[in-house]
Amino acid sequence: MELKDIQNKKDKRGIDIQKVGVKDVQVPLLVQRKNAENQIVNAKARMSVSLDKNFKGTHMSRFIEVLNDFSKSNIFDMYPMMENLKNKLSAKFAEVKFNFTYFIEKKAPISKITSLIGYDCFFKAKLNENNEYKFYLGVKVPVTTLCPCSKEISDSGAHNQRAIIAVNITYNRDNHIWIEDIINDIEKCGSCEVYSILKRRDEKYVTEQAYKNPKFVEDVLRDVVLAIEKYDNITSYEIEIEAFESIHNHSAWAYQKKVLN
Amino acid sequence: MELKDIQNKKDKRGIDIQKVGVKDVQVPLLVQRKNAENQIVNAKARMSVSLDKNFKGTHMSRFIEVLNDFSKSNIFDMYPMMENLKNKLSAKFAEVKFNFTYFIEKKAPISKITSLIGYDCFFKAKLNENNEYKFYLGVKVPVTTLCPCSKEISDSGAHNQRAIIAVNITYNRDNHIWIEDIINDIEKCGSCEVYSILKRRDEKYVTEQAYKNPKFVEDVLRDVVLAIEKYDNITSYEIEIEAFESIHNHSAWAYQKKVLN
Amino acid sequence: MELKDIQNKKDKRGIDIQKVGVKDVQVPLLVQRKNAENQIVNAKARMSVSLDKNFKGTHMSRFIEVLNDFSKSNIFDMYPMMENLKNKLSAKFAEVKFNFTYFIEKKAPISKITSLIGYDCFFKAKLNENNEYKFYLGVKVPVTTLCPCSKEISDSGAHNQRAIIAVNITYNRDNHIWIEDIINDIEKCGSCEVYSILKRRDEKYVTEQAYKNPKFVEDVLRDVVLAIEKYDNITSYEIEIEAFESIHNHSAWAYQKKVLN
Amino acid sequence: MELKDIQNKKDKRGIDIQKVGVKDVQVPLLVQRKNAENQIVNAKARMSVSLDKNFKGTHMSRFIEVLNDFSKSNIFDMYPMMENLKNKLSAKFAEVKFNFTYFIEKKAPISKITSLIGYDCFFKAKLNENNEYKFYLGVKVPVTTLCPCSKEISDSGAHNQRAIIAVNITYNRDNHIWIEDIINDIEKCGSCEVYSILKRRDEKYVTEQAYKNPKFVEDVLRDVVLAIEKYDNITSYEIEIEAFESIHNHSAWAYQKKVLN
C-alpha cells in the first residue's frame, strides 16, 4: 500500500518559505588539510532549502541521505553537495552549515615541543536559483590579551586574559583560503599566542611577550582588520573579539563587519 | 597623581570601530508588564558604542555606570539609556541588548489553575548619529507540534514534540507592543500550547487538541508569518522554529525574515 | 466522568525508585538577604521524591503545585516546602534543588563606587524517611589568579586570568550561614577579587594586588579549605577551582571534598 | 640559566590535595569499536592527580605530554595511560575523564537504510595508591517516550517526546563491555528507538510502535535497571532519565544509583 505524501499537498497560505530543513545532525566529515592528509572532524550540521508557496512541506529524510552520500568525500569544497541538495529537494535555494573542531599542530615558542590545539570552525555554503555559490569560513582563535592601561598605571604586572577572536570570511570558490593560514594570521593579532604545552622556558617567553605587547580589544580588532584586508580574495568579513577579563566577571567585546566587493 | 588615560591616545591605523563595549554583564532590571506592576528580571547585558578612528580605546567602566544609573528605572523604553550612553562615551552610535527570562501567568485550559511560564526574551536598541532609534523585541515561545505525516500514515498515534518558536520584531517607539500580546499570538501557532501545570482533565485536552491540529514546522512558520503581519506597527521580523523531533536525535528547523517597510 | 489514574496502578517489577520528578522548571523565588530585604531570584528547579515499588508512577503536576504554594514565601529555609512535598506525594524521601543568580553589592577597592555582581548559587535540600533534613548551599565565586611560576621566571609581568571557585557546603538547619559571608570569605582566597566597576585608580590597585599575591589553583584550593574549616557549623564541603588560563586554551583545575562530622 | 621550579617548593599548610590538573583539553583519540576498525573521536579531557601536602604545585605541562604520548594509541583500555600519569607526576592517585561523541551505524526499522547516530559518551579511569584500577563508562542514549496517562485518558493520540537516558557503569578491567552492546540494550527501554533517517514506512512503524508501548520515565528507569543488572560484570551503575515533555516547558526526570558488589 502506498503511504500518502502529505508534504506534497498544496498549501494555500501563499507564503514561500526561505529556509526549512534539519538542525543539530551529528556527523563525522573529512576536511582537506594544508600540506597534510584529510582530517576527520565531528560536525554538527544545519541543512536547509527554500520551499515553494504551493507545497505544504519539504522532505526531511532526504537531507540526511545527502549527508550520508557525502560523508566519505572531502567537504572542503561544498559545491557538489549543495547542487545535489537543491536537486534532490527540487529547491531554488540551499544552505548548509557545518560546525566542527579542527585540530592543528603547534610548536611551543622556545622548546619547540609540538601539541594540538582544537579550533572551533564552521563551513557554510549557499547555492541560489542562478547557481551562484557563496562560501563562508568561520574560525575561533584563542589568544592572550594584556591590558595597556593596566600596564601603564601599575607599578608592576598588568592584567591579562584569554580572548577569543571569531572571524567569518567569504571568498571565491576558485581561490580558496586554508584554515591553517587564516588562523596563523589571526593568532599574531593578540598580545601573545596560546599553546597547549608550555615548558618553563616557553612560559617565560609568552609572559614577557604579552607584557611587551599590550593590546585592548580595540587594538586586536584593528590588527585583525588589517590582516584580513591583506587577502585580496576575501569578499566580506565579520570579526568579533571577546576578552574574558581577569579583573571582572564580564567580558570586553568588539565587533566589525564589512563587505569588500 | 594623575593616572594617564591610555584610551585617549591617538590611534594611527585609521579604522573606525563599529562596536566596542562589554558583554555578559549580569544585572537585575525592571520591565513594565501589561496591566500589572513591573517585573524584576535577571538580565545579561551586552552594551557597545562606536569608536572614532582617532582614539585608541573606549572607556569600559562608563558602560557599567550607565547600567547602574538605569537599574532602578523601567527599561521598557530604552531611549533615555541609549542617549545617556552615547553622550557619556562621546559616541556616534550605541547599541544595547538585554537577554532575560520573563514570567507570565497562564491558566491551564480546563482546570483553570494558574502557574508561571518563563519565556526567554531580549530587548535590543540602537541609537545612531542622527538620533534615530531602533528597538528590537525577541521572544522564544515553547509549543507542541504534532506531525501531520505521522498522523496520516499511522493506524494510531502521531509523533509530537516540544518546539521553540523564536520571533524577533522591530517596531516604532511611539507604538509599542506588549510581550504578553505577541507571545499570546505566537502560542496559537503550534499544534497546542504548553503549560506548567496540567491536571488530568487538562492533559486530555492538550493531547486531543494537538492530535486534531497537526503541524509541520513549515505550517507553524507560515502561521506565525500571518500572525505577525497582522500587526501594522511591526517594521521587520525574523522567525526561527526548532522542533526537537521525538523520533530523531536532531531537530526540524525553519527560518524566515522580512523587512516590512 | 472520572479519568483513570494510571500512575496509581500496581507495578510488578519490584524496584523502588530513588528519585523521580521534574527538572528545569523556571520560577521566581524570594531569598532572604543578610541585613537587607528579600531578593527576588530567577530559579531553575529540580524537584524529586522517592517512589515505592508498588506504584507505577508519581504525580508530576503536584510538584508544580508545591512550587506555586511556596513561590511567595522566603525559601531560605526549605524545610516547610520539603515537608509539604513529601506529604503531597506520599513519599519517604524528597529532594529539591534551586539554581539561581544572586546579586550582591560590592564597593570598588579605592573609588568605593558600588555595583552589583551576580553569583551563581544553589540551594539543595533533602528530607528523608525519619524527617532528617539536610541542606546544601552552593556558590560560584569569580576571582583573579596570578601564576607564581610565571612571575618568578619572567623579567616582567605574569600571566593571570579569571578563575571560578565553586564551593558547596552543608550545615545544620539551626545554625545557618549567609551567602554574603561565605562569598566574602572565598573572595579573599584568590590573588585578587574581581569587580563590576573599576575606575583607573581601582584598576591600578587590583593589578598590583594580584601581582603581589601570586597563587596556583593549588594555593587557592588550600586557602579555601582553611577558610571553610573555620566555620564550626559546616558538616561537609566540596571545592572545585577552574582557572581559565590566559596562556592556554584549556583550564587549570583542582578539587577537594570532605565530610567533617 | 636554570629557571626556578616554584612548584617544587615546600608547602606549609599541611593539606594533601585530592585532585589537581587540567580541564577542557581538546584532543582526537582512537577508540576500539566492536567488530570494526578504531574510531577517531574528538574528546574533551579532564586529567588530575593527587598532590602531597609537602609540595606547592603539580606540573601542568606533563599532563599534556602524557596525552600526546597516548593520542595515537587506542584508549579503550586506559590503564597504561593512568600508570604513566601517576609515574610522571609522582602521584599516589590519578584520574582521567574523556567526553566524546561516538558514532554508531543504525538501520532504519523497515527500509533498513543505514545512517549514523552520535552518542555522547565518556570514559573515566582512576588508579590509586595500590594500583587498583577503576573504569567508568558513560553513555547518553536518546529514545522516544510516550505517556501512558495521556494515551489512557485521551480519545486519540498521546503526547510523546525525545528523552535522554544517561547510564554510567563501572566494570572490571578483564571483562570489558562494548559501547555498542550497552547502547543497544538501553535503546530497547524507551517507547521506541530514535533514528537519523526514517522513510515514510519507517515513520509509520516508529509512531505505531511508540503508541503500543507507552512508558513513564519511571517505567524507563525500571527497565534500564533490569537491563543493566543482567550484566554480571557491572559493579555499580547510575541512571538518569530526562524526558523533554512536549506538553510542558520543563522535563520529567528520574534517577537511580547502586553499588552491586
Side-chain angles (χ1 to χ4, degrees):
Chain A
M1 189 202 69
E2 185 70 37
L3 295 172
K4 205 165 158 186
D5 186 348
I6 291 280
Q7 284 83 353
N8 268 339
K9 273 177 55 179
K10 187 157 172 56
D11 198 87
K12 295 175 179 166
R13 280 162 289 195
I15 298 169
D16 284 322
I17 290 180
Q18 294 167 1
K19 303 182 191 180
V20 59
V22 294
K23 185 170 173 272
D24 285 342
V25 185
Q26 294 199 78
V27 65
L29 291 174
L30 290 179
V31 178
Q32 172 71 52
R33 286 190 289 183
K34 189 185 178 185
N35 303 328
E37 55 182 8
N38 289 338
Q39 181 171 147
I40 295 175
V41 302
N42 285 5
K44 273 206 175 173
R46 195 186 73 194
M47 312 173 78
S48 63
V49 294
S50 58
L51 180 68
D52 188 273
K53 62 174 176 287
N54 290 309
F55 294 100
K56 183 174 172 68
T58 191
H59 290 87
M60 296 288 184
S61 64
R62 297 186 194 167
F63 292 91
I64 312 296
E65 287 172 345
V66 171
L67 204 54
N68 282 358
D69 288 348
F70 284 86
S71 71
K72 296 279 156 56
S73 326
N74 187 325
I75 52 100
F76 201 90
D77 179 11
M78 292 171 66
Y79 188 90
M81 180 192 284
M82 301 307 292
E83 218 176 10
N84 192 276
L85 189 59
K86 264 186 62 178
N87 291 340
K88 209 151 177 175
L89 275 303
S90 313
K92 289 185 181 161
F93 170 85
E95 180 184 290
V96 173
K97 188 178 182 188
F98 294 125
N99 282 80
F100 55 89
T101 298
Y102 186 79
F103 290 96
I104 299 180
E105 259 197 4
K106 211 175 157 175
K107 281 199 169 73
I110 307 298
S111 69
K112 305 298 178 192
I113 298 174
T114 61
S115 59
L116 292 167
I117 296 202
Y119 299 88
D120 291 336
C121 295
F122 72 76
F123 286 171
K124 190 169 84 171
K126 296 181 183 185
L127 192 63
N128 74 7
E129 204 163 350
N130 307 315
N131 277 325
E132 287 159 347
Y133 177 76
K134 212 167 169 180
F135 181 75
Y136 303 76
L137 168 64
V139 295
K140 290 194 178 176
V141 182
V143 297
T144 303
T145 58
L146 185 138
C147 180
C149 170
S150 170
K151 176 181 175 180
E152 172 71 28
I153 62 181
S154 305
D155 294 339
S156 52
H159 79 81
N160 53 77
Q161 51 271 319
R162 201 187 305 161
I164 300 292
I165 307 174
V167 175
N168 309 337
I169 55 172
T170 52
Y171 56 83
N172 294 325
R173 193 187 167 207
D174 49 2
N175 208 340
H176 97 258
I177 292 170
W178 292 105
I179 300 181
E180 287 83 351
D181 290 340
I182 192 92
I183 286 180
N184 190 50
D185 287 343
I186 296 168
E187 284 186 326
K188 295 185 172 30
C189 298
S191 293
C192 189
E193 303 186 28
V194 305
Y195 301 86
S196 291
I197 286 198
L198 294 170
K199 303 305 291 181
R200 268 202 296 282
R201 56 198 187 277
D202 300 310
E203 186 171 359
K204 176 180 166 63
Y205 172 85
V206 298
T207 303
E208 295 173 356
Q209 181 64 14
Y211 194 75
K212 273 180 221 158
N213 194 23
K215 290 198 177 187
F216 289 128
V217 289
E218 292 92 329
D219 293 310
V220 176
L221 184 125
R222 281 169 169 146
D223 287 347
V224 175
V225 165
L226 294 175
I228 294 297
E229 296 200 349
K230 271 185 197 147
Y231 287 78
D232 52 16
N233 47 340
I234 288 179
T235 55
S236 73
Y237 63 77
E238 202 180 357
I239 301 165
E240 187 172 354
I241 296 149
E242 179 167 5
F244 304 94
E245 301 292 285
S246 64
I247 61 171
H248 296 300
N249 199 27
H250 60 256
S251 299
W253 181 81
Y255 177 87
Q256 195 89 344
K257 79 167 169 186
K258 197 166 172 185
V259 176
L260 289 166
N261 44 56
Chain B
M1 190 201 67
E2 186 69 38
L3 295 173
K4 206 165 155 186
D5 185 348
I6 291 280
Q7 284 82 353
N8 268 339
K9 273 179 54 179
K10 186 155 172 57
D11 197 88
K12 292 172 181 170
R13 281 163 287 195
I15 298 169
D16 285 322
I17 291 180
Q18 292 167 1
K19 302 182 191 179
V20 57
V22 293
K23 185 169 172 273
D24 284 342
V25 185
Q26 293 198 78
V27 63
L29 291 173
L30 290 179
V31 178
Q32 173 71 52
R33 286 190 287 184
K34 187 182 179 185
N35 303 328
E37 54 182 9
N38 289 338
Q39 180 171 147
I40 296 174
V41 301
N42 286 6
K44 274 206 176 173
R46 193 185 74 194
M47 311 173 78
S48 63
V49 295
S50 57
L51 179 68
D52 187 274
K53 64 173 174 290
N54 290 307
F55 294 99
K56 183 174 173 66
T58 190
H59 290 86
M60 296 287 184
S61 65
R62 296 184 195 167
F63 291 91
I64 312 295
E65 287 172 344
V66 171
L67 204 53
N68 281 358
D69 289 348
F70 284 86
S71 70
K72 297 282 157 52
S73 324
N74 188 323
I75 52 99
F76 200 89
D77 178 12
M78 292 172 67
Y79 187 91
M81 178 191 284
M82 301 307 292
E83 218 176 10
N84 192 277
L85 189 60
K86 265 186 62 179
N87 290 340
K88 209 151 178 176
L89 275 302
S90 313
K92 287 184 182 162
F93 171 85
E95 181 183 290
V96 173
K97 187 178 182 188
F98 294 124
N99 281 81
F100 56 88
T101 298
Y102 186 79
F103 290 96
I104 299 180
E105 261 197 1
K106 208 171 159 177
K107 281 198 170 73
I110 306 298
S111 69
K112 304 300 178 191
I113 298 175
T114 62
S115 59
L116 291 168
I117 295 200
Y119 299 89
D120 291 335
C121 295
F122 72 77
F123 286 171
K124 188 167 84 169
K126 297 182 181 183
L127 192 62
N128 75 6
E129 206 164 348
N130 307 314
N131 278 324
E132 287 159 347
Y133 176 78
K134 211 164 168 181
F135 180 77
Y136 304 75
L137 168 64
V139 295
K140 290 193 178 175
V141 182
V143 297
T144 303
T145 58
L146 185 138
C147 179
C149 170
S150 169
K151 177 179 172 178
E152 173 69 28
I153 63 181
S154 306
D155 293 340
S156 51
H159 79 81
N160 53 78
Q161 51 271 319
R162 201 188 304 162
I164 301 292
I165 307 173
V167 175
N168 308 338
I169 54 172
T170 52
Y171 55 83
N172 295 325
R173 192 185 170 207
D174 49 2
N175 207 341
H176 96 258
I177 292 169
W178 292 105
I179 299 180
E180 287 83 350
D181 289 341
I182 192 90
I183 286 179
N184 190 51
D185 287 344
I186 295 168
E187 284 185 325
K188 294 184 173 29
C189 298
S191 292
C192 189
E193 304 187 27
V194 305
Y195 301 85
S196 293
I197 287 196
L198 293 170
K199 303 306 289 182
R200 267 201 297 281
R201 55 197 186 277
D202 299 311
E203 187 171 357
K204 176 179 166 61
Y205 173 85
V206 299
T207 304
E208 295 173 356
Q209 181 64 16
Y211 193 76
K212 273 181 221 160
N213 194 25
K215 288 196 178 190
F216 290 129
V217 289
E218 292 92 328
D219 293 309
V220 176
L221 184 124
R222 282 169 168 146
D223 287 346
V224 175
V225 165
L226 295 176
I228 294 296
E229 296 200 349
K230 271 185 198 147
Y231 286 78
D232 53 17
N233 47 340
I234 288 179
T235 55
S236 73
Y237 62 78
E238 201 179 356
I239 301 165
E240 187 173 353
I241 296 149
E242 179 168 4
F244 305 94
E245 300 293 282
S246 65
I247 59 172
H248 296 301
N249 199 26
H250 60 256
S251 298
W253 181 82
Y255 177 87
Q256 194 89 343
K257 81 168 167 184
K258 196 165 175 187
V259 176
L260 290 166
N261 45 55
Chain C
M1 188 201 71
E2 186 68 40
L3 296 172
K4 205 164 156 186
D5 186 347
I6 292 281
Q7 283 82 354
N8 268 340
K9 273 177 55 179
K10 184 153 173 61
D11 197 87
K12 293 175 181 169
R13 282 163 288 196
I15 298 169
D16 284 321
I17 291 180
Q18 293 167 2
K19 302 182 190 180
V20 58
V22 293
K23 184 169 173 275
D24 285 343
V25 185
Q26 293 198 78
V27 64
L29 291 173
L30 290 178
V31 178
Q32 173 70 52
R33 286 189 289 184
K34 187 184 180 187
N35 303 327
E37 54 183 6
N38 290 338
Q39 180 170 147
I40 296 175
V41 301
N42 286 6
K44 272 205 179 174
R46 194 186 72 194
M47 311 172 78
S48 63
V49 294
S50 57
L51 179 68
D52 188 275
K53 64 173 175 290
N54 290 308
F55 294 99
K56 182 173 173 67
T58 190
H59 290 86
M60 296 286 184
S61 65
R62 296 184 195 168
F63 291 91
I64 312 295
E65 287 172 344
V66 171
L67 204 54
N68 281 358
D69 289 348
F70 285 86
S71 70
K72 296 282 157 51
S73 326
N74 188 324
I75 52 100
F76 201 90
D77 180 11
M78 291 171 67
Y79 187 90
M81 179 193 284
M82 302 306 292
E83 218 177 10
N84 192 277
L85 189 59
K86 264 186 61 179
N87 290 341
K88 210 151 176 175
L89 276 302
S90 313
K92 288 186 181 160
F93 170 85
E95 179 183 290
V96 174
K97 187 178 183 189
F98 293 124
N99 281 80
F100 55 89
T101 299
Y102 186 78
F103 290 97
I104 299 180
E105 261 198 2
K106 209 171 159 178
K107 281 199 171 73
I110 307 298
S111 70
K112 304 299 178 192
I113 298 175
T114 61
S115 59
L116 292 168
I117 295 202
Y119 299 88
D120 291 336
C121 295
F122 73 77
F123 286 170
K124 189 169 86 171
K126 296 182 183 184
L127 192 63
N128 74 6
E129 205 164 349
N130 308 314
N131 277 326
E132 288 159 346
Y133 177 76
K134 210 163 171 182
F135 180 77
Y136 303 76
L137 169 63
V139 295
K140 290 193 177 177
V141 182
V143 297
T144 303
T145 58
L146 186 138
C147 179
C149 170
S150 169
K151 177 180 173 178
E152 174 69 28
I153 62 181
S154 306
D155 294 339
S156 51
H159 79 82
N160 54 78
Q161 52 272 317
R162 199 188 305 161
I164 300 292
I165 307 173
V167 175
N168 308 337
I169 55 173
T170 50
Y171 55 83
N172 295 324
R173 192 186 169 208
D174 50 1
N175 207 342
H176 96 259
I177 292 170
W178 292 105
I179 300 181
E180 288 83 350
D181 290 340
I182 191 92
I183 286 180
N184 191 50
D185 287 344
I186 295 168
E187 283 185 326
K188 294 184 173 29
C189 297
S191 292
C192 189
E193 304 186 28
V194 304
Y195 301 86
S196 291
I197 286 196
L198 293 170
K199 303 306 289 182
R200 268 201 297 282
R201 56 197 186 278
D202 299 312
E203 188 171 356
K204 176 180 165 62
Y205 172 85
V206 298
T207 303
E208 295 173 355
Q209 180 64 15
Y211 194 77
K212 271 180 223 160
N213 194 25
K215 290 197 176 186
F216 290 129
V217 289
E218 292 92 329
D219 293 309
V220 176
L221 184 124
R222 282 168 169 147
D223 287 347
V224 175
V225 165
L226 295 175
I228 294 297
E229 296 200 349
K230 271 184 199 148
Y231 285 78
D232 53 16
N233 47 340
I234 288 179
T235 55
S236 74
Y237 63 79
E238 200 179 358
I239 301 166
E240 186 173 354
I241 296 150
E242 179 169 5
F244 304 93
E245 302 293 283
S246 64
I247 60 171
H248 295 301
N249 198 28
H250 60 255
S251 298
W253 180 81
Y255 177 88
Q256 194 90 343
K257 80 169 170 183
K258 195 166 174 186
V259 175
L260 290 165
N261 45 53
Chain D
M1 190 201 68
E2 185 70 39
L3 295 173
K4 206 165 155 185
D5 186 348
I6 290 281
Q7 283 83 352
N8 268 338
K9 274 178 53 178
K10 186 156 171 60
D11 197 88
K12 293 175 180 167
R13 281 163 286 196
I15 298 168
D16 284 323
I17 291 180
Q18 295 167 358
K19 303 182 190 179
V20 59
V22 293
K23 184 170 173 274
D24 284 342
V25 185
Q26 293 197 76
V27 63
L29 291 173
L30 290 179
V31 178
Q32 173 71 52
R33 285 189 289 184
K34 187 183 179 186
N35 303 329
E37 55 182 7
N38 289 339
Q39 180 170 150
I40 295 176
V41 301
N42 286 6
K44 274 205 177 175
R46 194 185 74 193
M47 311 172 78
S48 63
V49 295
S50 58
L51 180 68
D52 187 274
K53 64 173 175 291
N54 289 308
F55 294 99
K56 184 173 172 67
T58 191
H59 290 86
M60 296 287 184
S61 64
R62 296 183 195 169
F63 291 91
I64 312 294
E65 287 172 345
V66 171
L67 204 53
N68 281 358
D69 289 348
F70 284 85
S71 69
K72 297 279 157 55
S73 326
N74 187 324
I75 52 100
F76 201 92
D77 179 10
M78 293 172 67
Y79 187 90
M81 179 192 285
M82 302 306 293
E83 218 175 12
N84 192 278
L85 189 60
K86 266 187 60 179
N87 290 341
K88 209 150 179 175
L89 276 302
S90 313
K92 289 185 182 160
F93 170 85
E95 179 183 292
V96 174
K97 187 178 181 187
F98 294 124
N99 282 81
F100 56 89
T101 298
Y102 186 79
F103 290 96
I104 300 180
E105 260 197 4
K106 209 173 158 176
K107 281 199 171 73
I110 306 298
S111 69
K112 304 299 177 191
I113 298 175
T114 60
S115 59
L116 293 167
I117 295 202
Y119 298 88
D120 292 336
C121 295
F122 73 77
F123 286 171
K124 190 169 84 170
K126 297 181 182 183
L127 192 62
N128 75 6
E129 208 163 347
N130 307 317
N131 277 325
E132 287 159 348
Y133 176 76
K134 209 164 171 181
F135 180 77
Y136 303 75
L137 168 64
V139 295
K140 290 194 178 177
V141 182
V143 297
T144 303
T145 58
L146 185 139
C147 179
C149 170
S150 170
K151 176 180 173 178
E152 172 71 28
I153 63 181
S154 304
D155 293 339
S156 51
H159 79 81
N160 53 78
Q161 51 272 319
R162 200 187 307 162
I164 300 292
I165 306 174
V167 174
N168 309 337
I169 55 172
T170 52
Y171 55 83
N172 294 326
R173 193 185 168 209
D174 49 1
N175 209 340
H176 96 258
I177 292 170
W178 293 104
I179 300 181
E180 287 84 350
D181 290 340
I182 191 93
I183 286 180
N184 190 50
D185 286 344
I186 295 168
E187 284 185 324
K188 294 185 173 29
C189 298
S191 293
C192 188
E193 303 186 28
V194 304
Y195 301 86
S196 292
I197 287 197
L198 293 171
K199 304 304 289 180
R200 267 201 297 283
R201 55 196 185 278
D202 299 310
E203 186 171 358
K204 176 180 166 61
Y205 173 85
V206 298
T207 303
E208 294 173 356
Q209 180 64 14
Y211 194 76
K212 272 181 222 157
N213 195 23
K215 289 198 178 186
F216 290 129
V217 289
E218 292 92 329
D219 293 309
V220 177
L221 184 125
R222 282 169 169 147
D223 288 346
V224 175
V225 166
L226 295 175
I228 294 296
E229 297 199 349
K230 272 185 198 148
Y231 285 78
D232 53 16
N233 47 340
I234 288 179
T235 55
S236 73
Y237 63 79
E238 202 179 356
I239 301 165
E240 187 173 353
I241 296 149
E242 180 169 4
F244 305 94
E245 301 291 284
S246 64
I247 60 171
H248 296 300
N249 198 28
H250 60 255
S251 299
W253 180 81
Y255 177 89
Q256 195 90 343
K257 80 168 169 185
K258 196 166 174 186
V259 176
L260 290 166
N261 44 55

